[in-house]
Amino acid sequence: MIVAGARPNFMKVAPIINQLESYAEVETTLVHTGQHYDKNLSTVFFEELEIKKPDISLGVGSGSHAQQTAAVMVAIEEQLLLKNSQDNAVDVLIVVGDVNSTLAASLAAAKLHVPIAHVEAGLRSRDRMMPEEINRLATDAISDMHFCSEPAGKENLIAEGVDSSKIHLVGNVMIDTLLKQVNLAKKSSFLSKVGLSAERYGVVTLHRPSNVDHPAVLESILTEIADLGNEIPMVFPVHPRTRSKIEEFGLSKALTDSKKMVILEPLGYRDFLCLTSQAKVIITDSGGLQEESTALGVPCLTMRSNTERPITCTEGTSTLIGNSALKLRQQLELVISGKYKKGSCPALWDGRAAERIARILVTAFKPSTD
């Protein structure tokens, strides 16, 4: 059973499902908890990722962290009990990332003694103000198999007392999907539709509370990005949460101050990849986009003071700038002048992470022939 709770999770589970289903003896059940509902999770979305629609949709919806976690726990428990009462009992529950659904499904499985495999295990920001950090720590504490995307993940788990035999450094499943899709994305007509030319614009995404929940901070960031738009066009697909904060704080004017700011609704995966893969620079607070920009070789100015994905900074194209408008401008000037650092793609980010995960899982749970 494979659990996805938010839209980015599907980019992670897609290659895993496809690899597992290449084994005749494996049956998969894809569960969408509905923690984040998105109308773009439609037939087209699943066709783009080349995966089946969810076998089970729980429709949990929004709510507080406690409400979401509790609702997913109850619903997943019901599904596991139903499966385990039949002939096709669940051998392993696979969870990805760090959303509330990841922790909730893991808790339900652990109490029913169903083995748990956590993909993207061991990532740590050391910032417990982030709810995702709590989810990562707790999920890893009760998981039976840990699949790591970078060496720091393995090091963190060993430091926390996890048996090294349970830890597998396999690479990054997000990059599996990206490498499979990027050439198709670049052939899209999306750039011309929005009046852009390759490598002559920046992409902005913001959604984390540290950047969007405080009026003064958000206003400072928006004002600076609008001003930067006078130097290089800035494309800003606005996250629903960010848009609601902009409206709540009366900051809509900040988005329209620059004639070169392109404001968009959230995009589908392929259109967004068309945008990011051909950008001059990416400005973001997204962990996933840190990874993707590193794989794409695009400079990434990360508006966070810490990251659970350190390899994107030490080897990749990301630089942490917090929410400092000054650092943002300084780093952007390096990008525009061609003096920004050159990054490299980490080892095992080669498009074969899911292949490694599937092989390990099938070997571990292969029925005995005795």
Side-chain angles (χ1 to χ4, degrees):
M1 181 177 285
I2 304 166
V3 177
R7 190 164 174 254
N9 287 171
F10 284 92
M11 279 71 102
K12 300 171 186 177
V13 303
I16 299 172
I17 293 171
N18 289 336
Q19 285 296 327
L20 285 172
E21 291 192 335
S22 70
Y23 291 85
E25 66 270 36
V26 174
E27 178 184 345
T28 64
T29 298
L30 174 59
V31 179
H32 178 24
T33 69
Q35 175 184 325
H36 292 171
Y37 174 75
D38 188 329
K39 64 184 179 182
N40 285 329
L41 284 176
S42 60
T43 302
V44 173
F45 183 83
F46 288 96
E47 286 176 354
E48 284 184 351
L49 294 179
E50 298 179 20
I51 54 171
K52 62 182 179 180
K53 286 188 177 181
D55 299 292
I56 299 169
S57 295
L58 302 180
V60 167
S62 60
S64 71
H65 289 286
Q67 289 169 333
Q68 280 190 336
T69 303
V72 174
M73 282 184 68
V74 171
I76 289 289
E77 181 184 59
E78 290 176 355
Q79 294 300 327
L80 288 171
L81 288 171
L82 178 62
K83 283 281 186 182
N84 290 350
S85 68
Q86 302 168 352
D87 291 335
N88 57 341
V90 177
D91 291 302
V92 59
L93 180 93
I94 303 170
V95 294
V96 299
D98 52 22
V99 298
N100 289 338
S101 295
T102 300
L103 173 59
S106 300
L107 286 167
K111 294 188 176 187
L112 292 175
H113 311 295
V114 175
I116 303 157
H118 184 203
V119 176
E120 285 193 345
L123 298 180
R124 299 288 183 267
S125 68
R126 307 292 194 278
D127 180 2
R128 295 199 180 191
M129 294 299 291
M130 295 175 63
E132 296 90 346
E133 183 76 353
I134 305 302
N135 292 342
R136 288 188 283 263
L137 285 161
T139 299
D140 282 334
I142 57 176
S143 290
D144 301 275
M145 303 179 75
H146 304 78
F147 294 107
C148 299
S149 58
E150 60 176 273
K154 182 174 182 179
E155 293 165 8
N156 291 332
L157 291 169
I158 290 174
E160 292 166 12
V162 177
D163 189 324
S164 61
S165 66
K166 297 181 178 182
I167 305 171
H168 308 273
L169 182 59
V170 293
N172 193 323
V173 289
M174 281 279 283
I175 307 309
D176 289 17
T177 297
L178 182 146
L179 293 178
K180 186 175 182 179
Q181 295 282 339
V182 67
N183 288 333
L184 283 172
K186 286 183 175 180
K187 293 177 182 177
S188 165
S189 60
F190 182 75
L191 289 190
S192 60
K193 286 180 182 178
V194 293
L196 297 170
S197 299
E199 298 186 18
R200 295 185 179 180
Y201 61 88
V203 176
V204 179
T205 76
L206 297 170
H207 73 282
R208 292 194 180 275
S210 59
N211 288 324
V212 306
D213 281 10
H214 307 286
V217 172
L218 182 56
E219 182 176 18
S220 172
I221 292 171
L222 293 177
T223 300
E224 185 63 23
I225 290 172
D227 190 46
L228 293 174
N230 294 315
E231 298 181 36
I232 179 174
M234 289 290 170
V235 187
F236 190 2
V238 185
H239 190 284
R241 188 173 187 280
T242 305
R243 186 176 290 278
S244 69
K245 292 296 182 181
I246 289 170
E247 293 172 356
E248 178 185 341
F249 301 150
L251 299 176
S252 298
K253 187 175 182 295
L255 294 181
T256 58
D257 278 352
S258 171
K259 294 180 180 179
K260 292 189 177 180
M261 179 87 88
V262 181
I263 307 301
L264 301 175
E265 294 296 317
L267 301 172
Y269 179 72
R270 198 169 286 171
D271 282 346
F272 189 64
L273 182 55
C274 175
L275 193 64
T276 56
S277 62
Q278 300 176 86
K280 180 77 171 178
V281 63
I282 294 170
I283 300 168
T284 188
D285 56 15
S286 162
L289 199 45
Q290 276 182 269
E291 294 175 320
E292 291 184 334
S293 60
T294 279
L296 293 166
V298 176
C300 181
L301 309 183
T302 302
M303 303 202 73
R304 294 173 54 182
S305 58
N306 53 57
T307 180
E308 64 282 357
R309 295 164 166 88
I311 203 168
T312 63
C313 295
T314 57
E315 293 186 22
T317 59
S318 177
T319 299
L320 297 179
I321 60 173
N323 51 28
S324 167
L326 176 60
K327 289 182 180 178
L328 175 57
R329 179 168 291 277
Q330 289 172 339
Q331 292 297 321
L332 184 67
E333 288 175 356
L334 291 177
V335 172
I336 293 173
S337 66
K339 297 178 181 178
Y340 188 81
K341 67 177 181 179
K342 303 294 182 184
S344 61
C345 193
L348 299 181
W349 290 24
D350 56 0
R352 302 182 65 182
E355 180 183 327
R356 298 181 189 101
I357 291 169
R359 183 169 60 246
I360 293 167
L361 286 170
V362 171
T363 300
F365 293 96
K366 190 173 183 178
S368 173
T369 57
D370 294 341

